[in-house]
Structure formats: C-alpha cells, structure tokens
Amino acid sequence: SDSVNALLGLQPNDRLLVLLLSPEDYIEGAPNWSNGLYDGRIRVPFEAYEKDGNTLQATFRHEYTHAALHRVGQTVPTWLHEGLAQLVEGRDWQRSRQQLLNVADSAPSLLELQGEWSKYSDRNQVRAAYAYSLSLTQWMIEEFGRDSLAVLIQRMGSASFETAFEDVFGRSFEQVDSQHRSEILRESL
C-alpha cells in the first residue's frame, strides 16, 4: 500500500477483502494465465505462493493498485491499470521493452490496450499487452516526470480520461502512444 501511495497518492479508505484460495477454486473465476485478481476483492491462489513469499507480496501490491485505482471514480483504461500495477509490483520494465522489441510487429493496438484483458485466452497476446502497458507507463514517467501519472489519476476524479489526459500532458493519448511506439519500437526496425 505504501508503494501505491508513493506513486499515485491513493489509499483506499475502506477495508479490502482478501481471499486466499486453492488453485482449483481460484481458476474457476479467473483467467488461467493470471496470478491474482481484483474484482471488488483481492483473490489469489495461495498454494502457488507457499514457497515464495516475495512473489505473494508482489501480487498483493499489484492487486492493491487495482483496488486503489477502482476508487478513482472514472474508468481507468486497462493499459494504465496494468502498467501502474506492474510498476508498483516491481516488475522489470526494461525486460518488458526487450520483449516488445522481439515482437514489434505484433505490439497491441490501442483498441486492445483499452479493452477487457481478462477475456484473453492467448498467452502471447496477454504477455504483449502487459509488456506494452508497463513500457508505456514507465516511458511516460521518463518523458513527463514521476508525478505526472499521479496528477492524471487525481484529475480523473473530476474529468473523463480523455480530458484529464489532455489537461495533464497537453496532447491526446493517441499522440503520446504514437510517440512511445516510435521511440521504443523503432529500435527493432
């Protein structure tokens, strides 16, 4: 929770229900590629983490980020949800960029990035979407400063994503995404 508060200035005021489930019970309501899920409650398959407490903590940080973002009031796009959750989790953004360079011709489209990822069944599609969202989120911090995403989230409390984004970054999400694609993916051309 401290990581979410430090990056975004968000802290849910209500209690969060955390369910530690057997892998069988967990997979009944979650994508088979997921390690945790926030659906109003944080759900994680516990047996998988018994030997690695660090992985469990990273999953809790990831899902707690979703819980905090859910309370913003506006719908936070999936790419931003997942990019921020991965940053808070401590995922390696440089590795994600390398993965993108390896599959630059199949980087997710804007429509895919803003869609519902839990419906994906192709693990490669899932990996590419997560890698792209982490790369984009980190790139925005590099380009616009560490506080830029916190300002965006705060602004979304009273404005749509599109309006808040243009207010904070001075251009549309499509323009910022295009710049990220050209700067990060050009290395593979």
Side-chain angles (χ1 to χ4, degrees):
S1 69
D2 291 342
S3 303
V4 175
N5 299 339
L7 180 62
L8 300 173
L10 293 177
Q11 181 175 1
N13 293 325
D14 54 336
R15 289 185 181 212
L16 295 172
L17 179 61
V18 177
L19 300 175
L20 302 174
L21 303 169
S22 71
E24 297 79 24
D25 289 339
Y26 173 78
I27 206 66
E28 283 181 19
N32 63 0
W33 45 260
S34 69
N35 296 325
L37 184 68
Y38 175 74
D39 62 358
R41 310 163 294 186
I42 294 175
R43 295 189 298 150
V44 294
F46 187 69
E47 277 182 23
Y49 297 112
E50 286 179 354
K51 295 180 182 173
D52 189 357
N54 291 331
T55 303
L56 181 60
Q57 289 176 355
T59 299
F60 280 135
R61 285 193 305 270
H62 183 107
E63 299 308 328
Y64 180 85
T65 304
H66 291 311
L69 289 170
H70 180 73
R71 287 154 172 80
V72 168
Q74 293 289 330
T75 302
V76 177
T78 305
W79 69 267
L80 185 56
H81 249 285
E82 296 301 344
L84 290 169
Q86 289 178 89
L87 279 176
V88 170
E89 174 186 346
R91 185 101 23 176
D92 184 349
W93 58 267
Q94 292 171 320
R95 183 174 177 207
S96 289
R97 285 193 182 155
Q98 189 57 50
Q99 289 173 331
L100 287 174
L101 292 175
N102 294 336
V103 294
D105 57 337
S106 62
S109 70
L110 286 179
L111 186 61
E112 290 173 316
L113 290 171
Q114 294 174 350
E116 179 58 47
W117 297 8
S118 64
K119 306 222 185 301
Y120 290 173
S121 58
D122 180 344
R123 287 183 186 268
N124 291 329
Q125 181 184 25
V126 170
R127 285 186 190 114
Y130 274 90
Y132 191 87
S133 68
L134 178 56
S135 176
L136 176 58
T137 305
Q138 176 62 34
W139 179 85
M140 290 175 66
I141 289 171
E142 295 165 7
E143 189 72 17
F144 301 104
R146 183 157 177 84
D147 294 336
S148 62
L149 296 174
V151 173
L152 173 62
I153 296 300
Q154 290 168 359
R155 180 74 177 100
M156 286 179 63
S158 61
S160 70
F161 169 75
E162 293 79 12
T163 299
F165 197 94
E166 287 197 31
D167 287 350
V168 173
F169 300 106
R171 47 197 154 158
S172 71
F173 169 66
E174 290 77 11
Q175 291 169 316
V176 169
D177 178 68
S178 178
Q179 184 179 352
H180 169 257
R181 286 177 191 269
S182 69
E183 289 185 19
I184 299 302
L185 299 180
R186 71 173 173 214
E187 297 175 27
S188 66
L189 302 177

